[in-house]
Amino acid sequence: MAIMARQIVNNQWLRQLRHEANWTQEQLAVRIGVASSTLRSWEQGKVKVAMTLEQWEELAIAVNVSLSDLHSRIRKLHQKTAE
């Protein structure tokens, strides 16, 4: 149970980035080429986020950051939730 709770917290970065960029789950899912149910499961922490490099690049474009900045933001959000 603790692992699931930690994963839910750790997947909040995706929801936060999506909200900041004003995307709905459905819109972002289409943009990065996954089913909206997949994106929803990622955000809820039900499954681990797994994307191709192209999908990561599309996500970065969608949230208006470079791929490098996306990686940095995810790391910072993970560190913040681990504290």
Side-chain angles (χ1 to χ4, degrees):
M1 187 68 167
I3 292 172
M4 179 60 109
R6 185 173 39 230
Q7 187 172 349
I8 290 170
V9 170
N10 289 342
N11 283 350
Q12 287 180 353
W13 62 267
L14 182 55
R15 178 178 292 131
Q16 182 176 342
L17 289 173
R18 179 177 60 78
H19 279 285
E20 289 173 6
N22 294 316
W23 290 88
T24 66
Q25 284 180 331
E26 293 77 18
Q27 290 169 328
L28 187 57
V30 168
R31 177 66 187 258
I32 65 174
V34 299
S36 57
S37 60
T38 299
L39 185 64
R40 188 170 27 263
S41 292
W42 289 344
E43 287 188 1
Q44 293 172 349
K46 292 181 178 179
V47 295
K48 190 173 184 177
V49 176
M51 289 188 268
T52 65
L53 178 57
E54 291 80 14
Q55 289 170 318
W56 281 107
E57 290 170 341
E58 282 299 320
L59 176 62
I61 292 167
V63 298
N64 200 31
V65 297
S66 70
L67 196 53
S68 177
D69 287 343
L70 177 62
H71 180 258
S72 295
R73 289 188 67 181
I74 292 168
R75 288 187 63 143
K76 285 178 186 175
L77 289 169
H78 273 282
Q79 289 171 350
K80 187 184 287 188
T81 58
E83 295 174 350

